[in-house]
Amino acid sequence: MKQFISVHDLEGGLAGALQEAFEIKKDRFQYSHLGKNKTLLMVFFNSSLRTRLSTQKAGMNLGMNVIVLDVNQGAWRLETERGVIMDGDKTEHLLEAIPVMGCYCDLIGVRSFARFESKEDDYREVVINQFIQYSGRPVFSMEAATRHPLQSFADLITIEEYKRRPRPKVVLTWAPHPKVLPQAVANSFAEWMNETDYDFVITHPPGYELAPEFVGKAQVEYDQQKAFEGADFIYAKNWSAYTDPNYGKVLHADRSWTVDEGKMLLTDNAYFMHCLPVRRNMIVTDGVIESAQSIVIPEAANREISAQVVIKRLLEGL
Ligand code: CP
């Protein structure tokens, strides 16, 4: 594998990737020879807890040396636009910084969220594509502007571990949040679910429609309670508006969409999932996230496994 930006980069499809994930989970040190004398550089333009720790751990499980660069803490401020007269506070251009970073490593992971300055630039994935073009190294996404594939892969592993029937009903529900959040987790989750044969439903208030290429064949249901009926998995996430002219706006944070105990009673004893971090009593009540049906911690634990499958495949492709 030469890059990992979306589910479409997974050679051999989901079945092969899942098989590899479960094999690695049995013994996560069995490939520790693969990364010997190889360096993983993780570049963060945005904050992280899970991605940073799980990806670093995955690299170490594979025997790699790992360097973490927080671009906004201690590095020169980077200009990303070409053609800009650099007379402001940005000292270095990404077009020099990226190939320099490539000199010091064998693989590069990048986290660069949507900036909401231009929908076109966000959906063209300008920053991560510059890393692919100019680093000279295999690049993988640690959440880019439009997708979070390491999270979605971990979500899929978790659903496979907990499902009680071959074709579970999986519901992605919008939930309220006070801040502007990207669509990346929701887009990516939908994209991965569309690669399965699960019964997949997306529910959100009018105005929060996702891009059609991510919705794919999912059923869209505007009535959240109806969507929850008979569900096996409830996957909650907030996202800001995608459709024009409201791109990147919070239209409302209606707490009648918070996932609570009453709504969970409509499901078929569904498991509750969220990528974390989560705002309690906005996205989900204390009672639901603390219930026996909440699998947010095993879901987060599977981030180490999804990252390890991806880094292993990238190492094998060097
Ligand atoms: N789910 C996730 O990506 O968590 P972090 O933002 O903490 O990395």
Side-chain angles (χ1 to χ4, degrees):
M1 194 161 72
K2 297 295 180 196
Q3 65 174 40
F4 181 68
I5 307 302
S6 83
V7 68
H8 306 298
D9 294 315
L10 267 190
E11 291 151 13
L14 295 187
L18 282 168
Q19 193 180 3
E20 214 167 313
F22 293 127
E23 183 210 0
I24 283 173
K25 204 161 177 177
K26 277 187 213 146
D27 175 8
R28 55 197 78 194
F29 303 106
Q30 60 188 297
Y31 295 106
S32 59
H33 57 282
L34 274 181
K36 186 171 161 47
N37 296 332
K38 297 281 190 296
T39 299
L40 167 63
L41 172 61
M42 297 163 57
V43 182
F44 287 90
F45 289 83
N46 309 95
S47 304
S48 170
L49 187 153
R50 280 143 290 273
T51 304
R52 171 185 301 239
L53 297 179
S54 62
T55 311
Q56 183 161 0
K57 177 70 164 52
M60 294 190 302
N61 291 349
L62 288 160
M64 300 189 81
N65 301 310
V66 184
I67 305 172
V68 180
L69 177 67
D70 283 305
V71 171
N72 298 319
Q73 287 176 6
W76 299 115
R77 289 209 67 198
L78 294 176
E79 177 57 63
T80 56
E81 299 299 318
R82 195 167 171 279
V84 168
I85 298 169
M86 289 175 59
D87 60 355
D89 60 349
K90 293 180 179 161
T91 310
E92 179 158 25
H93 203 287
L94 208 53
L95 292 176
E96 283 79 54
I98 290 174
V100 168
M101 292 182 209
C103 296
Y104 307 136
C105 65
D106 300 279
L107 303 179
I108 304 184
V110 180
R111 167 164 281 201
S112 175
F113 291 173
R115 297 167 177 208
F116 298 115
E117 289 164 6
S118 154
K119 178 177 176 176
E120 196 196 351
D121 283 355
D122 287 343
Y123 274 70
R124 280 196 303 126
E125 292 286 7
V126 169
V127 173
I128 200 159
N129 279 327
Q130 286 186 327
F131 274 87
I132 291 169
Q133 194 172 351
Y134 299 115
S135 71
R137 302 293 177 205
V139 170
F140 64 95
S141 169
M142 299 193 300
E143 186 171 344
T146 63
R147 293 177 175 90
H148 193 358
L150 287 176
Q151 179 66 52
S152 310
F153 186 11
D155 298 334
L156 177 69
I157 295 167
T158 311
I159 292 172
E160 285 294 306
E161 287 177 326
Y162 281 84
K163 73 181 186 185
R164 295 167 299 214
R165 47 184 167 149
R167 195 168 172 268
K169 178 175 177 182
V170 178
V171 178
L172 167 62
T173 181
W174 181 93
H177 194 284
K179 307 273 187 198
V180 172
L181 296 191
Q183 297 98 34
V185 170
N187 284 344
S188 197
F189 185 72
E191 188 168 56
W192 283 66
M193 291 299 103
N194 274 310
E195 291 291 312
T196 71
D197 66 351
Y198 303 161
D199 177 8
F200 179 49
V201 178
I202 303 175
T203 185
H204 56 73
Y208 283 106
E209 289 77 10
L210 294 168
E213 64 265 32
F214 292 107
V215 174
K217 62 185 186 198
Q219 180 195 337
V220 177
E221 171 58 67
Y222 290 96
D223 181 336
Q224 191 191 33
Q225 301 209 5
K226 198 167 163 200
F228 274 42
E229 285 171 9
D232 296 290
F233 293 91
I234 298 297
Y235 191 100
K237 185 71 184 85
N238 173 268
W239 60 88
S240 58
Y242 165 76
T243 46
D244 293 325
N246 292 322
Y247 178 67
K249 289 188 183 156
V250 176
L251 304 179
H252 59 78
D254 180 355
R255 286 180 52 215
S256 71
W257 279 75
T258 300
V259 178
D260 62 18
E261 292 86 333
K263 288 176 197 165
M264 291 301 283
L265 286 175
L266 300 169
T267 70
D268 188 5
N269 201 24
Y271 289 108
F272 175 80
M273 300 179 72
H274 188 281
C275 63
L276 305 181
V278 70
R279 290 196 181 225
R280 283 176 174 229
N281 304 308
M282 285 294 295
I283 299 277
V284 59
T285 59
D286 290 325
V288 170
I289 200 164
E290 291 171 5
S291 73
Q293 293 309 104
S294 172
I295 53 172
V296 296
I297 305 304
E299 179 185 0
N302 278 331
R303 290 293 307 275
E304 180 182 339
I305 305 302
S306 66
Q308 198 169 329
V309 172
V310 167
I311 296 170
K312 171 182 171 281
R313 287 182 171 203
L314 292 170
L315 285 170
E316 287 168 341
L318 286 177

